[in-house]
Amino acid sequence: MSQPDARSTAAQEKAALDQVPTQLFIGGEWRDSSDGSSIDVEDPATGKTLVTIAGATVEDGAAALDAAVAAQADWAAVAPRTRGEMLRSAFELLTERADHFAMLMTLEMGKPLAQAKGEVTYGSEFFRWFSEEAVRIAGRWSTSPDGSTRFLTMRQPVGPTLMITPWNFPLAMGTRKIGPAIAAGCTMVVKPASQTPLTMLALAALLEEVGVPKGVLNVVPTSRTGDVMEPIIGDPRLRKLTFTGSTPIGKQLVKQSADQLLRVSMELGGNAPFLVFPDADLDAAVEGAMVAKMRNMGEACTAANRFLVHEDVADDFATKFAAKMAAQTLGRGTEDGVDVGPLIDAKALDKVSELVDDAQQRGASVATGGSRTGDAGYFFQPTVLTDVPADADLMREEVFGPVAPITTFSDDDKAVAMANDTEYGLVAYAYTTDLGRMIRVSEALEFGMVGINQGIVSNPAAPFGGVKASGFGREGGPEGIDEYLSVKYVGIAP
Ligand code: NAP
């Protein structure tokens, strides 16, 4: 574990926490919870409370939806250029204040500061991208095949949207919903994860500063999540639900949305395979594996969950990968030189430990790591396991931690079959230098995204999303704004 420079980090942490809003943001006003409820936000590196914020009640949730509904018509009428310029200003302010936002994320979520800054870059880019998309919402003019009618096709804002986001990327999971919603002219109620609400509250203050009108964006952290969200989802004035989080909660929310036939986008869990073919550049594959596995301490829906390596190169790959993993420095994310922060909570740490124990009991060997570490906080050693059998739980479940199980394959068809043998379908990675293999494998993989010779696929200019139990809908890219637009056609008899 690395040693902190206690004085300077403590001062920076205090400054970040002193500035963060701690109230609900409803109808353009900062207010306390209607019954005085609160949420203690914990530092996962110490288990101690960082700050206490207001927690929304059912009444507060209803007030947030009232505000979003009241603001919708005027907001939809705001000129696209004006909406785009608000996003552009938000991008610039976020960039200017990257250190502040990064510090908040590191404190509430645990990721090292350098990665938190990376998330500010990634997250703010959704605002820049959608500032450019706001002015390109186009329609169509066409003639019916028999010539009797003209079709005017337009794309209009879907309307008030509920956004529910997870704790692992407190900024980016918000901006990739808020960006296109602002660009499209939708109002919104945002419910950040109760473990990481600070970044979203700070973002709401920033959006207020750039002139997003009252009621367009409402933020209601709550610890009574189901009780507060269900009536909003059941309210006929809500038009869309967009959710990023676990597959079980996603399924539950799809069921709740069915009564209203809401427009729904679901960004859910993953179980990403990382394939290494015998012709791969092995050093590049190891570099890619580090990124695909260790970004966010493995707490990413896109994290490589299973390493499927050709038997001819498996030993070399495992040795090089284990050496890199063993060289990682664990510590509190605010400390200099830290590569790996804590996991989010004790439950997550227990789950990772259980998955590693289960794999070992079924015959896997530990190449490096293998256990929890540290006296405080929720730290797990970067771990590489070899000879992991297909029936080990961590080959089927999202490990959501710094653990890399390696198993081998003998031919391409088997590799693809193993990769596809999961209920999930978010992302797959493959390392190969053979162009034909790149094409064949990319086409055969049943995933929404494929990274070839790269360990990261997230990019605001590309359509992020999954198939199967990883959900539906796309965030980012030209497709990202479509989720917030409805198509209407007008038939005109000339
Ligand atoms: P989670 O437990 O499903 O929580 C996600 C969000 O849903 C949180 O805001 C949570 O609120 C809320 N929630 C929980 N129960 C709810 C209910 N009954 N009704 C309405 N909302 C409810 O997931 P997580 O543990 O935060 O995040 C990790 C999961 O997200 C992983 O499976 C990961 O793969 C997935 N993820 C997917 C993507 C993607 O783009 N595909 C991106 C990032 C993460 P509380 O915090 O108050 O419980």
Side-chain angles (χ1 to χ4, degrees):
M1 309 272 286
S2 87
Q3 296 305 310
D5 172 357
R7 275 168 313 161
S8 63
T9 50
Q12 287 166 24
E13 289 170 24
K14 183 171 179 320
L17 292 173
D18 283 350
Q19 285 173 44
V20 77
T22 56
Q23 291 172 297
L24 310 174
F25 186 58
I26 299 174
E29 284 172 14
W30 294 94
R31 44 163 118 158
D32 287 327
S33 159
S34 58
D35 71 354
S37 296
S38 60
I39 303 172
D40 290 335
V41 182
E42 188 184 280
D43 178 347
T46 61
K48 291 187 183 146
T49 299
L50 289 165
V51 64
T52 299
I53 63 154
T57 60
V58 172
E59 291 71 29
D60 297 323
L65 182 61
D66 288 347
V69 169
Q72 179 58 59
D74 285 350
W75 179 234
V78 168
R81 177 68 78 202
T82 307
R83 294 199 305 264
E85 279 171 357
M86 285 174 197
L87 284 174
R88 176 74 200 199
S89 302
F91 161 74
E92 279 161 13
L93 262 194
L94 257 177
T95 306
E96 215 172 275
R97 297 180 191 165
D99 289 345
H100 172 65
F101 277 87
M103 178 58 85
L104 279 180
M105 268 191 280
T106 293
L107 287 173
E108 65 179 346
M109 188 274 167
K111 69 182 76 186
L113 265 179
Q115 292 196 30
K117 282 185 193 166
E119 182 174 343
V120 177
T121 305
Y122 170 57
S124 62
E125 196 60 42
F126 285 100
F127 285 170
R128 177 154 68 171
W129 175 264
F130 286 108
S131 75
E132 292 155 356
E133 292 297 282
V135 292
R136 317 223 187 286
I137 301 168
R140 208 169 64 228
W141 176 259
S142 57
T143 303
S144 66
D146 67 2
S148 64
T149 298
R150 304 295 179 267
F151 298 141
L152 170 61
T153 306
M154 62 185 86
R155 291 151 81 217
Q156 297 178 305
V158 169
T161 298
L162 175 62
M163 306 178 167
I164 303 178
T165 57
W167 51 263
N168 59 348
F169 291 99
L171 181 75
M173 297 304 98
T175 57
R176 71 185 195 181
K177 299 184 190 302
I178 295 168
I182 288 182
C186 295
T187 60
M188 60 212 100
V189 175
V190 184
K191 209 296 290 174
S194 40
Q195 286 170 306
T196 58
L198 303 182
T199 307
M200 185 57 70
L201 291 168
L203 185 67
L206 183 146
L207 289 166
E208 185 185 18
E209 201 178 325
V210 301
V212 172
K214 287 180 195 308
V216 170
L217 173 86
N218 306 276
V219 180
V220 283
T222 179
S223 53
R224 285 170 280 183
T225 307
D227 291 347
V228 176
M229 292 299 105
E230 197 167 353
I232 300 179
I233 296 169
D235 191 308
R237 298 172 302 163
L238 186 74
R239 292 285 183 270
K240 177 176 171 76
L241 166 66
T242 171
F243 172 77
T244 300
S246 62
T247 296
I249 300 289
K251 286 181 181 171
Q252 194 179 318
L253 295 179
V254 171
K255 284 181 195 149
Q256 284 177 22
S257 313
D259 274 348
Q260 291 258 67
L261 294 172
L262 281 177
R263 281 280 294 272
V264 178
S265 306
M266 289 280 146
E267 297 286 348
L268 307 177
N271 178 5
F274 187 104
L275 297 123
V276 183
F277 289 94
D279 57 75
D281 173 338
L282 221 52
D283 290 331
V286 171
E287 287 302 329
M290 288 302 296
V291 176
K293 181 71 258 179
M294 296 306 288
R295 179 169 172 246
N296 236 36
M297 290 80 74
E299 292 174 317
C301 51
T302 50
N305 211 50
R306 301 169 286 151
F307 290 82
L308 313 179
V309 186
H310 191 273
E311 55 197 16
D312 290 352
V313 294
D315 286 349
D316 265 8
F317 176 82
T319 305
K320 289 180 174 187
F321 189 20
K324 290 241 178 220
M325 289 284 267
Q328 297 276 293
T329 303
L330 269 83
R332 192 157 183 252
T334 51
E335 297 162 14
D336 283 344
V338 166
D339 303 305
V340 186
L343 297 180
I344 188 71
D345 57 21
K347 203 169 131 214
L349 187 61
D350 288 345
K351 186 183 170 199
V352 172
S353 304
E354 279 161 24
L355 288 171
V356 170
D357 292 347
D358 168 77
Q360 281 182 266
Q361 277 157 23
R362 292 175 199 262
S365 306
V366 179
T368 188
S371 52
R372 56 180 79 197
T373 179
D375 302 329
Y378 313 116
F379 293 91
F380 199 90
Q381 294 173 323
T383 296
V384 175
L385 302 172
T386 55
D387 302 318
V388 182
D391 63 351
D393 290 344
L394 56 64
M395 301 300 271
R396 314 228 136 250
E397 289 177 35
E398 246 185 328
V399 59
F400 244 56
V403 176
I406 301 179
T407 193
T408 60
F409 65 84
S410 53
D411 67 57
D412 289 20
D413 289 347
K414 284 209 180 79
V416 169
M418 285 162 79
N420 287 341
D421 184 20
T422 169
E423 64 174 313
Y424 295 102
L426 189 61
V427 58
Y429 305 92
Y431 273 74
T432 172
T433 49
D434 178 325
L435 180 58
R437 181 176 264 148
M438 284 177 202
I439 295 168
R440 286 192 303 276
V441 167
S442 300
E443 287 179 355
L445 286 168
E446 294 166 358
F447 294 82
M449 300 174 286
V450 179
I452 299 287
N453 295 330
Q454 57 184 55
I456 189 162
V457 290
S458 307
N459 191 308
F464 186 106
V467 297
K468 295 163 68 181
S470 294
F472 42 81
R474 292 295 178 267
E475 291 190 328
E479 292 83 355
I481 200 164
D482 291 340
E483 302 284 329
Y484 297 87
L485 294 167
S486 293
V487 174
K488 178 189 281 177
Y489 103 82
V490 182
I492 305 169

